Amino acid sequence: MPHLLETLTAVVSDLTRRHHLPDIIKLSPLQGDASARRYFRVNTSSYSMILMDCRALIDITTAFSSLTTSLIKQQIPAPHILAATPDRGLMLLEDFGDTTLLHDLTQHKTTSPYDKAVQLLVRLQCIPRSAFPTLPTYSHEKLMAECHVFPHWFLNRFLKLKLSTAQHYNLNLTFEYLINNALAQPSCFVHRDYHSRNLMVKDNGSLGLIDYQDAVWGAAAYDWASLLKDCYITMPRSQQLVYLKQGHHALQADVNTAPAWDSFLKDYDLIGLQRHLKVLGVFSRLALRDGKTTYLNDIPRIINYIKATCQIYPELMALSAIMRMAEAQFNLQRQQTTEKTL
């Protein structure tokens, strides 16, 4: 890390000089996210900036820059890009501070910040397609690829479970059912990770939006499930529905394309299920492949979300049986791991 910081400091110093930004005083690593990107805080004599290091994903920098410009044009609080070297995968961004919505919620033990998150999401979803001409569609292929992360990484690689032929068949039928629902939903801007760790509470109390580089045009209920069925903090379903109804009412008033409430609620539950199945696979992959084991602590919450949805919809009976088996194996592995550390 010292050598990396020294190298990056030299590169960023050159970047700040060329863009007439203040001189660097200090470069400090920030806690990473669930990707190959790395972030650093750049302290200068006047203010701080965030360095986004995308050298491992250099092809995303141009798309990120274009999307950021489009969001800011639509009055969405994305961080301004202060300087960039797209060919080297480095960007200097506006610094929104250290306080995530998750931190604010856990510190103050209140859900009131969700009002602002709901309002911002409504604004995002009311932006027309023409504002994002290059945004990819959340296609059947992409949705199915996400679904298959669940059996490969969570069931097979992490839990060492082998499904029977019948279970594989039923699981694929469930995937098709979820995807068909997603594709039938009204379409809008989808952040794909609109949750409490990607909403920053700025010094003035307003929210800032980050980590939107994987956005697509797709199912309208997706980001609602991401926000209200958050993988990192639990909200009771009764409270989820309060905010979901608030958002549904606002969407009906603003764009008049939101479906009836019963349909919107079902869309919310089913696309949330698709997301949570994917996340079980992603968190398992992060632990096994990348050594990021802290994400395993959130798996019980995600399993509970999936079980709750399966109990509501009879069409999910086959998935419910698979999840009972998976939960038992997960709990057994946790118990064995705990015993080994004693």
Short mmCIF file of all heavy atoms in Angstrom, two decimals, residues 177-178 181 185 229 265-275 309 313 315-316:
data_model
loop_
_atom_site.label_atom_id
_atom_site.label_comp_id
_atom_site.label_asym_id
_atom_site.label_seq_id
_atom_site.Cartn_x
_atom_site.Cartn_y
_atom_site.Cartn_z
N TYR A 177 -40.08 -17.06 -14.55
CA TYR A 177 -41.24 -16.38 -13.97
C TYR A 177 -40.85 -14.98 -13.47
O TYR A 177 -41.53 -13.99 -13.75
CB TYR A 177 -41.80 -17.23 -12.83
CG TYR A 177 -42.90 -16.58 -12.03
CD1 TYR A 177 -44.13 -16.30 -12.59
CD2 TYR A 177 -42.70 -16.25 -10.68
CE1 TYR A 177 -45.15 -15.71 -11.84
CE2 TYR A 177 -43.70 -15.66 -9.92
CZ TYR A 177 -44.93 -15.39 -10.52
OH TYR A 177 -45.93 -14.81 -9.77
N LEU A 178 -39.74 -14.90 -12.75
CA LEU A 178 -39.28 -13.61 -12.23
C LEU A 178 -38.87 -12.66 -13.35
O LEU A 178 -39.17 -11.46 -13.30
CB LEU A 178 -38.11 -13.83 -11.27
CG LEU A 178 -38.39 -14.64 -10.00
CD1 LEU A 178 -37.12 -14.83 -9.19
CD2 LEU A 178 -39.46 -13.97 -9.16
N ASN A 181 -41.83 -11.26 -15.28
CA ASN A 181 -42.45 -10.18 -14.51
C ASN A 181 -41.66 -8.89 -14.66
O ASN A 181 -42.22 -7.81 -14.86
CB ASN A 181 -42.57 -10.57 -13.04
CG ASN A 181 -42.98 -9.39 -12.17
OD1 ASN A 181 -42.13 -8.67 -11.63
ND2 ASN A 181 -44.27 -9.17 -12.04
N GLN A 185 -42.84 -5.04 -16.49
CA GLN A 185 -43.02 -3.83 -15.69
C GLN A 185 -42.79 -2.57 -16.54
O GLN A 185 -42.04 -2.61 -17.52
CB GLN A 185 -42.03 -3.83 -14.52
CG GLN A 185 -42.29 -4.87 -13.46
CD GLN A 185 -41.36 -4.72 -12.26
OE1 GLN A 185 -40.94 -3.60 -11.93
NE2 GLN A 185 -41.05 -5.83 -11.61
N LYS A 229 -35.87 -3.08 0.80
CA LYS A 229 -35.44 -4.41 1.24
C LYS A 229 -33.91 -4.44 1.19
O LYS A 229 -33.29 -5.27 0.54
CB LYS A 229 -36.03 -5.50 0.35
CG LYS A 229 -37.55 -5.60 0.41
CD LYS A 229 -38.07 -6.80 -0.37
CE LYS A 229 -39.57 -6.90 -0.34
NZ LYS A 229 -40.08 -8.15 -0.94
N LEU A 265 -47.05 -3.62 -6.04
CA LEU A 265 -46.57 -4.35 -4.88
C LEU A 265 -46.01 -5.72 -5.29
O LEU A 265 -44.95 -6.14 -4.81
CB LEU A 265 -47.70 -4.52 -3.86
CG LEU A 265 -47.37 -5.33 -2.60
CD1 LEU A 265 -46.19 -4.73 -1.85
CD2 LEU A 265 -48.59 -5.44 -1.70
N LYS A 266 -46.72 -6.41 -6.18
CA LYS A 266 -46.23 -7.71 -6.64
C LYS A 266 -44.93 -7.54 -7.43
O LYS A 266 -43.98 -8.33 -7.25
CB LYS A 266 -47.28 -8.39 -7.50
CG LYS A 266 -46.89 -9.81 -7.91
CD LYS A 266 -48.03 -10.53 -8.62
CE LYS A 266 -47.64 -11.98 -8.93
NZ LYS A 266 -48.75 -12.71 -9.60
N ASP A 267 -44.87 -6.51 -8.26
CA ASP A 267 -43.62 -6.23 -8.99
C ASP A 267 -42.46 -6.01 -8.03
O ASP A 267 -41.34 -6.49 -8.24
CB ASP A 267 -43.79 -4.98 -9.87
CG ASP A 267 -44.74 -5.20 -11.04
OD1 ASP A 267 -45.06 -6.37 -11.35
OD2 ASP A 267 -45.15 -4.20 -11.65
N TYR A 268 -42.74 -5.26 -6.99
CA TYR A 268 -41.74 -4.95 -5.96
C TYR A 268 -41.23 -6.23 -5.30
O TYR A 268 -40.02 -6.43 -5.14
CB TYR A 268 -42.40 -4.02 -4.94
CG TYR A 268 -41.71 -3.83 -3.62
CD1 TYR A 268 -40.60 -3.00 -3.49
CD2 TYR A 268 -42.21 -4.46 -2.47
CE1 TYR A 268 -39.99 -2.80 -2.25
CE2 TYR A 268 -41.61 -4.25 -1.24
CZ TYR A 268 -40.51 -3.43 -1.13
OH TYR A 268 -39.92 -3.23 0.09
N ASP A 269 -42.14 -7.10 -4.93
CA ASP A 269 -41.74 -8.34 -4.26
C ASP A 269 -40.95 -9.26 -5.20
O ASP A 269 -39.93 -9.84 -4.80
CB ASP A 269 -42.98 -9.07 -3.75
CG ASP A 269 -43.54 -8.46 -2.47
OD1 ASP A 269 -42.76 -7.87 -1.70
OD2 ASP A 269 -44.76 -8.59 -2.24
N LEU A 270 -41.41 -9.38 -6.44
CA LEU A 270 -40.77 -10.35 -7.34
C LEU A 270 -39.42 -9.86 -7.85
O LEU A 270 -38.46 -10.64 -7.94
CB LEU A 270 -41.70 -10.68 -8.50
CG LEU A 270 -42.99 -11.41 -8.12
CD1 LEU A 270 -43.78 -11.80 -9.37
CD2 LEU A 270 -42.71 -12.64 -7.26
N ILE A 271 -39.31 -8.58 -8.15
CA ILE A 271 -38.00 -8.10 -8.61
C ILE A 271 -37.03 -8.03 -7.43
O ILE A 271 -35.82 -8.22 -7.58
CB ILE A 271 -38.11 -6.73 -9.32
CG1 ILE A 271 -36.86 -6.46 -10.16
CG2 ILE A 271 -38.31 -5.59 -8.32
CD1 ILE A 271 -36.65 -7.42 -11.29
N GLY A 272 -37.58 -7.81 -6.21
CA GLY A 272 -36.74 -7.87 -5.03
C GLY A 272 -36.19 -9.27 -4.81
O GLY A 272 -35.04 -9.46 -4.42
N LEU A 273 -37.02 -10.28 -5.11
CA LEU A 273 -36.58 -11.67 -5.00
C LEU A 273 -35.47 -11.96 -6.00
O LEU A 273 -34.45 -12.58 -5.66
CB LEU A 273 -37.77 -12.60 -5.23
CG LEU A 273 -37.47 -14.10 -5.22
CD1 LEU A 273 -36.84 -14.54 -3.91
CD2 LEU A 273 -38.76 -14.88 -5.49
N GLN A 274 -35.64 -11.51 -7.24
CA GLN A 274 -34.60 -11.71 -8.25
C GLN A 274 -33.29 -11.07 -7.79
O GLN A 274 -32.21 -11.67 -7.91
CB GLN A 274 -35.04 -11.12 -9.60
CG GLN A 274 -34.12 -11.41 -10.77
CD GLN A 274 -32.96 -10.42 -10.91
OE1 GLN A 274 -33.00 -9.34 -10.34
NE2 GLN A 274 -31.95 -10.80 -11.68
N ARG A 275 -33.38 -9.88 -7.24
CA ARG A 275 -32.19 -9.18 -6.76
C ARG A 275 -31.53 -9.94 -5.61
O ARG A 275 -30.30 -10.12 -5.59
CB ARG A 275 -32.56 -7.76 -6.30
CG ARG A 275 -31.42 -7.04 -5.59
CD ARG A 275 -31.79 -5.62 -5.21
NE ARG A 275 -30.77 -5.04 -4.34
CZ ARG A 275 -29.59 -4.55 -4.77
NH1 ARG A 275 -29.30 -4.59 -6.05
NH2 ARG A 275 -28.72 -4.04 -3.93
N THR A 309 -40.93 -13.57 0.97
CA THR A 309 -41.59 -13.44 -0.33
C THR A 309 -42.17 -14.77 -0.79
O THR A 309 -43.28 -14.82 -1.33
CB THR A 309 -40.59 -12.90 -1.38
OG1 THR A 309 -40.08 -11.64 -0.94
CG2 THR A 309 -41.25 -12.73 -2.74
N TYR A 313 -46.36 -15.83 -2.15
CA TYR A 313 -46.76 -16.20 -3.51
C TYR A 313 -46.64 -17.72 -3.70
O TYR A 313 -45.52 -18.27 -3.68
CB TYR A 313 -45.89 -15.46 -4.53
CG TYR A 313 -46.01 -13.96 -4.40
CD1 TYR A 313 -45.06 -13.23 -3.67
CD2 TYR A 313 -47.09 -13.29 -4.95
CE1 TYR A 313 -45.18 -11.85 -3.53
CE2 TYR A 313 -47.22 -11.91 -4.81
CZ TYR A 313 -46.27 -11.21 -4.09
OH TYR A 313 -46.41 -9.85 -3.94
N GLU A 315 -46.69 -19.46 -6.25
CA GLU A 315 -45.88 -19.81 -7.42
C GLU A 315 -44.42 -20.10 -7.06
O GLU A 315 -43.67 -20.65 -7.86
CB GLU A 315 -45.93 -18.69 -8.46
CG GLU A 315 -47.33 -18.26 -8.87
CD GLU A 315 -47.83 -17.06 -8.06
OE1 GLU A 315 -47.70 -17.09 -6.80
OE2 GLU A 315 -48.33 -16.11 -8.66
N LEU A 316 -44.04 -19.72 -5.85
CA LEU A 316 -42.64 -19.83 -5.43
C LEU A 316 -42.40 -21.03 -4.50
O LEU A 316 -41.39 -21.09 -3.81
CB LEU A 316 -42.20 -18.54 -4.75
CG LEU A 316 -42.34 -17.27 -5.60
CD1 LEU A 316 -42.04 -16.03 -4.77
CD2 LEU A 316 -41.45 -17.33 -6.83
#
